[in-house]
Amino acid sequence: MFMNPTEEQARDRIEQLRWPDGAACPFCRLHQVTKLNGKREGFFQCNRCRRQFTVRTGTIFERSHVPLSKWLQAVHLLCASKKGMSALQVSRMLGVSYKTAWFLCHRIREAMRSPGGLLTGTVEVDETYVGGKGSNRHQGRGTFNKVPVVALIQRQGNMRTRVVKTVSAKNLMKALRDHVDIESTVMTDDFMSYRKLDEVFYQHEAVVHSKKEYARGNVHVNNCESFFALLKRGLMGSFHHVSRKHLGRYSNEFAFRWDTRKITDEERTTTALQLAEGKRLRYAQLIGHEEEAGSKN
Ligand SMILES: [Zn+2]
């Protein structure tokens, strides 16, 4: 269904997902709308506010000249590839320019951004460095040019990521406070910046990595380690260079696939399409002329 649809099939599919109960005005939510037939294919008009809209209005597809059939295929490609897909590959597979593919991929990553909500129960938290050269963790040598990424993973649940400037206690605490319920049990390693977590969260347990301890009963951050392995392999294999600026969105993409790892590629594509509403990402934001909404993630 997702590969090689006609433009009409693609639009029907996206309309169905967005409006299972029939088209609704994106401005006033009213269902009393009129389908405009003829020249303006795919257009509706609201019977109250009289504004015209399509299924693209208010979604990542808005103001894009790319046919919905290509959008649908791009979403499917990103959802079905375990390690992600480079813009170059997407450009070749869809027959669009590299620049178009690049923008398409970033908008899809924006859609994949978690809708939010706090993680609860037992939550693993760990950080790693991505990009640059050298292999040392924490703020040791060899971390120059590397960007710290924090992973927060609820056991048997969903996850969040955050790109931080430095792995200071303040920045890590902020990431935890933004994403983790204070009633949670937090699992980390013995990195200094995590020392005061027990003052805020219900319980804090640390595995003593510095003494080569990798698990003590259920005290470990193995899910974070697995996620980082996936992220790094993906970034290495598919993306030659990821700047600090865009790393948050790449991490979103990997976190989205992690959250949806137990469903089929088809179902994951559907989920991503449903998340496309209410998210916008303008080209000016992407290339740095404007502050990004997703940067606070
Ligand atoms: Zn309206």
Side-chain angles (χ1 to χ4, degrees):
M1 180 62 216
F2 292 115
M3 295 322 284
N4 300 316
T6 64
E7 187 59 11
E8 203 184 345
Q9 282 170 334
R11 194 174 48 237
D12 280 353
R13 178 93 178 112
I14 296 171
E15 283 182 0
Q16 232 175 60
L17 284 171
R18 184 175 184 185
W19 299 314
D21 306 319
C25 170
F27 309 105
C28 57
R29 308 273 157 202
L30 196 75
H31 277 281
Q32 277 77 46
V33 300
T34 307
K35 196 174 168 97
L36 302 177
N37 291 313
K39 267 191 208 165
R40 312 212 75 189
E41 196 68 40
F43 272 81
F44 297 86
Q45 184 170 38
C46 175
N47 294 356
R48 180 159 68 191
C49 73
R50 311 300 299 166
R51 291 172 80 173
Q52 294 186 359
F53 60 92
T54 72
V55 75
R56 293 176 184 254
T57 311
T59 73
I60 58 162
F61 315 122
E62 190 166 0
R63 284 171 214 276
S64 153
H65 61 275
V66 177
L68 289 172
S69 53
K70 300 218 176 202
W71 270 106
L72 202 57
Q73 290 179 72
V75 174
H76 186 255
L77 288 174
L78 258 64
C79 285
S81 67
K82 297 286 167 275
K83 289 195 284 182
M85 195 170 274
S86 69
L88 192 65
Q89 220 172 334
V90 171
S91 127
R92 283 195 198 115
M93 293 184 76
L94 296 188
V96 298
S97 74
Y98 174 77
K99 189 178 160 184
T100 297
W102 186 81
F103 189 34
L104 223 67
C105 290
H106 271 306
R107 278 198 178 182
I108 295 168
R109 286 183 191 112
E110 183 64 16
M112 288 172 167
R113 184 157 51 89
S114 162
L118 294 176
L119 304 174
T120 59
T122 301
V123 180
E124 294 180 21
V125 181
D126 198 13
E127 79 295 331
T128 195
Y129 283 89
V130 176
K133 287 191 168 129
S135 59
N136 289 355
R137 294 184 73 225
H138 303 321
Q139 283 173 304
R141 292 170 58 194
T143 54
F144 186 66
N145 277 340
K146 282 179 166 287
V147 181
V149 180
V150 184
L152 308 99
I153 305 184
Q154 179 178 328
R155 295 237 176 111
Q156 331 292 342
N158 288 349
M159 72 169 296
R160 309 277 185 268
T161 60
R162 174 171 299 193
V163 174
V164 287
K165 278 211 171 77
T166 63
V167 291
S168 66
K170 194 178 155 217
N171 289 346
L172 294 177
M173 182 63 95
K174 175 88 171 63
L176 269 122
R177 276 184 173 279
D178 287 349
H179 294 297
V180 183
D181 188 300
I182 55 168
E183 297 297 321
S184 306
T185 294
V186 180
M187 305 281 182
T188 67
D189 61 14
D190 56 333
F191 181 42
M192 273 189 10
S193 291
Y194 294 122
R195 268 188 316 188
K196 296 199 168 164
L197 292 185
D198 58 348
E199 292 174 12
V200 174
F201 296 93
Y202 171 69
Q203 206 180 350
H204 173 220
E205 299 276 1
V207 64
V208 192
H209 276 173
S210 62
K211 289 190 178 156
K212 306 238 182 271
E213 178 189 65
Y214 291 98
R216 189 174 67 252
N218 72 341
V219 181
H220 62 78
V221 288
N222 293 347
N223 289 298
C224 292
E225 307 270 357
S226 304
F227 173 75
F228 288 143
L230 275 171
L231 178 68
K232 287 180 177 182
R233 234 178 299 145
L235 291 179
M236 224 187 294
S238 306
F239 313 100
H240 299 299
H241 178 73
V242 174
S243 66
R244 169 186 285 270
K245 190 168 147 37
H246 299 303
L247 185 59
R249 255 188 303 274
Y250 285 100
S251 307
N252 284 344
E253 180 190 342
F254 281 83
F256 172 77
R257 274 195 299 264
W258 175 278
D259 287 351
T260 56
R261 66 198 179 281
K262 288 182 180 144
I263 59 177
T264 64
D265 292 347
E266 202 93 335
E267 289 166 333
R268 186 174 308 111
T269 307
T270 299
T271 306
L273 288 168
Q274 285 166 332
L275 288 169
E277 188 171 353
K279 303 218 174 99
R280 285 282 309 278
L281 184 65
R282 286 188 300 277
Y283 194 71
Q285 288 175 307
L286 254 180
I287 57 173
H289 295 165
E290 290 177 37
E291 189 63 21
E292 292 170 29
S295 64
K296 292 190 188 77
N297 179 33

